[in-house]
Amino acid sequence: MKAVAQRGPDVRIECVIEGQLFELEAHSPTLPPGVAPGLSIRVKPMRPRVYPV
């Protein structure tokens, strides 16, 4: 994870997956405690969306 930002009840997480920067959005009550930049995480997309650059 590169960055974690609280956005109301949601959390925005920037992370690098296989060399590519991704932005993830999660609902904060469902996150495990201790989510912070620098940690490794495992991602399971529930509703993936892809936006053009």
Side-chain angles (χ1 to χ4, degrees), residues 37-49:
L39 295 177
S40 294
I41 60 172
R42 183 173 288 177
V43 178
K44 180 180 178 183
M46 302 302 281
R47 286 177 274 168
R49 294 182 197 140

Side-chain angles (χ1 to χ4, degrees), residues 1-4 14 35-41:
M1 286 188 288
K2 300 204 43 101
V4 178
E14 290 182 3
V35 173
L39 295 177
S40 294
I41 60 172

Side-chain angles (χ1 to χ4, degrees), residues 4 6 9-13 25-35 41:
V4 178
Q6 187 78 35
D10 295 326
V11 175
R12 192 181 96 206
I13 301 170
E25 188 175 294
H27 194 62
S28 94
T30 62
L31 289 176
V35 173
I41 60 172

Side-chain angles (χ1 to χ4, degrees), residues 16-33:
V16 177
I17 301 173
E18 295 185 2
Q20 298 292 316
L21 183 62
F22 284 86
E23 182 179 297
L24 310 173
E25 188 175 294
H27 194 62
S28 94
T30 62
L31 289 176

